[in-house]
Amino acid sequence: MASVLVASNRGPVSYTLGEDGTLDARRGGGGLVSGLSAVDSQDSLWVCAALGAGDREAVRRGVAEPGVRMLAIDPDVYADAYNGIANSVLWFLHHHLYEIPREPVFDAEFRRRWESYRAYNRAFAEALAEAADDGAAVLVQDYHLALVPGQLRELRPDLRIGHFTHTPWASSEYLRMLPEDVREELVWGMLGADELGFHTWSWAFSFLNGAHIDSATGVTTPLSPTGTPWRGVDHMKWGAPRRSTRLRVHPLGVDGEDLRALAHRPEVDERLARLREEVGDRLTIVRVDRTELSKNILRGLLAYRELLTVHPEWRGRVVHLASAYPSRQDLEAYRSYTAAVSELAEEINAEFGTADWQPVLVSVQDDFTRSLAVYRMADVALVNPVRDGMNLVAKEIPVVSEAGCALVLSDQAGAYTELREDALTVNPFDVSATAEALHTALSMPAAERADRTKRLAVAATALPPQRWFLDQLEALTTPPEE
């Protein structure tokens, strides 16, 4: 039995199955991993899904790392829950990505997949209920497991349950696209938690606006307030005792010391030297993203093309280093988007390139070493998502940039709240304004860039991953004030 439990789709370890049948375990990193390391390993448990053949084989053989329990969920159920609902419905809702004339369509196939999503969440809830000590603290992670708090509350009302959403939360207009019963179940699942965590108050207030449900369900919540910060909601469900859910904001930051150490490893130094040779003495505009629809890479490239058109003085003097790592290529929308990014970059190079200058250097490989090298040589960082829960790239680049960088930042990134005073902020849909912001950033005096970067780095490291995790645990285990 455990007194501190974490639940997430992806766990801290993964297994690879060798041709000879051996299993090789690889442990990951990140805020949750470092945070949980601060808790007694004999008293904690991480519950996660078995994601690949190696993971499922490890479960079949009874192989497990200390403090980790993998759930071998039926592959078809997992595919429906993960790709069919979490990534194709909830992600699109929370990031406002739907092409409204065509999507969404909630039909019988959606209902079938929703049943899988419910079953997937139920598997986690049952595993947590079985493993949790009396009064244990359970920290549930992200939109994949939005139903777990409510399901777990029914199984184990004695537990202290927290849920953290790493994405934005859909506006009430978007959330109401969901069928009414599904929307009610989604919000009911979230309200099973004692604490709901978000990166910003904007996303917390979005949850409140969307959580006002018809009283026939037995759930009552107020609309979001005006003026003072809102802290909690009393609610009921089908005659259950009245209880309270508190909303809190925990804006995840970066571990500056750890990130700088990673960025100065010998292999990064070597990659940096090669990139500097390729770029020469030109200024750099840097972006590092997955080819995720919400990251707005295409409009960023369009803004760069407009910069070169409207301000021809930058031709031959700047290079756009764009890391666009393929993401979710099992979904057609993502495959076509990834292809469109490469095609647009080629068009810009064909239009403006010369024998000794390639305007855009795109990397479509998942290459962390290259990303860190690019961070170090950034003069301008372009982070322009259409909507993003936080966006740690906006925080990582100022921490690592060697000469100081000007940050061009979307006002729809969660990081905007903390970084806006020293960033050049833009409407992510306004290509012309983004082009002008890039011009301003490139023209910024080096001393001003350096000063801004120092302040950005301080803000970026205010709540590093381990502290972020422990703050949530402390909030969950501290009795609320009367």
Side-chain angles (χ1 to χ4, degrees):
M1 305 293 280
S3 63
V4 176
L5 300 93
V6 168
S8 63
N9 176 68
R10 183 178 297 276
V13 65
S14 61
Y15 292 92
T16 303
L17 182 62
E19 293 183 0
D20 60 354
T22 59
L23 286 170
D24 180 41
R26 180 178 181 183
R27 197 162 184 88
L32 285 175
V33 174
S34 63
L36 200 58
S37 68
V39 180
D40 184 354
S41 60
Q42 301 297 317
D43 205 25
S44 63
L45 179 68
W46 193 320
V47 178
C48 56
L51 300 185
D55 289 354
R56 289 191 291 272
E57 180 62 17
V59 174
R60 190 188 70 80
R61 296 183 190 179
V63 175
E65 296 292 303
V68 179
R69 180 180 175 186
M70 283 188 172
L71 306 180
I73 297 166
D74 179 272
D76 291 334
V77 171
Y78 180 82
D80 283 342
Y82 183 74
N83 278 331
I85 297 297
N87 289 343
S88 294
V89 176
L90 298 181
W91 182 274
F92 276 64
L93 281 172
H94 290 327
H95 290 86
H96 295 183
L97 293 177
Y98 278 124
E99 185 184 356
I100 300 302
R102 298 177 182 273
E103 302 171 306
V105 175
F106 298 123
D107 54 9
E109 177 64 12
F110 163 78
R111 293 284 180 176
R112 186 188 67 77
R113 291 172 175 172
W114 184 257
E115 288 288 343
S116 293
Y117 181 76
R118 183 186 294 131
Y120 162 77
N121 276 250
R122 186 75 183 184
F124 274 84
E126 290 174 350
L128 292 165
E130 177 184 311
D133 206 346
D134 292 343
V138 182
L139 292 165
V140 183
Q141 300 298 309
D142 228 358
Y143 62 101
H144 311 91
L145 302 177
L147 303 184
V148 167
Q151 294 172 338
L152 184 57
R153 178 68 59 197
E154 289 188 332
L155 295 171
R156 291 288 304 273
D158 62 299
L159 300 179
R160 296 292 296 173
I161 304 170
H163 186 284
F164 192 90
T165 300
H166 293 262
T167 65
W169 189 268
S171 67
S172 59
E173 293 81 8
Y174 257 75
L175 198 66
R176 290 186 69 84
M177 292 179 186
L178 286 172
E180 184 176 5
D181 61 317
V182 172
R183 185 175 73 249
E184 292 172 1
E185 185 177 3
L186 179 66
V187 175
W188 165 79
M190 294 285 284
L191 290 178
D194 297 287
E195 302 269 347
L196 290 178
F198 298 89
H199 283 302
T200 74
W201 279 113
S202 293
W203 310 144
F205 290 163
S206 289
F207 175 82
L208 287 178
N209 278 324
H212 189 70
I213 300 175
D214 190 278
S215 59
T217 65
V219 180
T220 58
T221 66
L223 297 178
S224 64
T226 56
T228 58
W230 188 91
R231 296 290 179 176
V233 56
D234 291 327
H235 55 88
M236 299 178 66
K237 175 64 178 176
W238 298 326
R242 184 175 293 276
R243 49 177 300 277
S244 178
T245 297
R246 290 177 61 87
L247 271 67
R248 295 182 187 267
V249 167
H250 302 277
L252 176 63
V254 300
D255 185 327
E257 184 176 341
D258 182 59
L259 184 62
R260 292 185 188 99
L262 288 171
H264 286 84
R265 292 175 301 171
E267 58 267 35
V268 179
D269 291 338
E270 293 173 9
R271 186 64 61 86
L272 178 63
R274 294 203 301 269
L275 283 170
R276 289 197 186 281
E277 184 176 351
E278 192 170 3
V279 170
D281 60 358
R282 300 179 178 93
L283 294 176
T284 60
I285 298 173
V286 162
R287 77 172 307 137
V288 176
D289 289 301
R290 294 175 293 113
T291 51
E292 160 56 52
L293 307 183
S294 65
K295 299 302 182 182
N296 209 23
I297 300 172
L298 288 176
R299 289 191 186 91
L301 286 169
L302 290 172
Y304 181 61
R305 181 166 69 182
E306 187 160 323
L307 168 75
L308 298 178
T309 301
V310 176
H311 295 283
E313 65 269 25
W314 290 116
R315 296 178 190 177
R317 296 175 55 205
V318 63
V319 172
H320 187 12
L321 291 167
S323 296
Y325 305 144
S327 174
R328 298 175 183 170
Q329 295 300 290
D330 46 352
L331 299 177
E332 169 56 29
Y334 286 80
R335 290 196 300 272
S336 61
Y337 188 79
T338 301
V341 167
S342 295
E343 290 169 6
L344 182 52
E346 291 172 3
E347 290 176 11
I348 294 171
N349 285 332
E351 181 177 358
F352 296 102
T354 63
D356 61 352
W357 173 57
Q358 186 171 330
V360 184
L361 297 178
V362 175
S363 171
V364 294
Q365 303 298 319
D366 191 349
D367 188 342
F368 186 53
T369 298
R370 182 184 189 275
S371 296
L372 291 173
V374 164
Y375 283 4
R376 286 173 58 181
M377 64 189 300
D379 295 303
V380 176
L382 175 58
V383 182
N384 66 320
V386 295
R387 194 170 166 87
D388 214 334
M390 173 52 69
N391 196 301
L392 286 179
V393 170
K395 294 184 172 184
E396 290 170 346
I397 296 179
V399 170
V400 174
S401 173
E402 293 183 348
C405 69
L407 174 62
V408 176
L409 179 65
S410 164
D411 61 10
Q412 294 302 303
Y416 166 78
T417 302
E418 300 166 89
L419 306 183
R420 59 186 175 184
E421 291 186 6
D422 287 295
L424 302 172
T425 58
V426 295
N427 173 343
F429 303 100
D430 191 336
V431 168
S432 293
T434 304
E436 286 304 311
L438 291 174
H439 172 66
T440 301
L442 291 167
S443 305
M444 187 178 293
E448 182 182 350
R449 279 210 323 268
D451 287 343
R452 285 179 181 244
T453 303
K454 290 177 184 177
R455 293 191 294 268
L456 288 168
V458 170
T461 55
L463 193 64
Q466 188 175 74
R467 186 68 257 165
W468 171 84
F469 175 87
L470 293 176
D471 278 2
Q472 291 176 73
L473 183 60
E474 182 179 341
L476 188 59
T477 55
T478 302
E481 297 178 3
E482 297 296 333

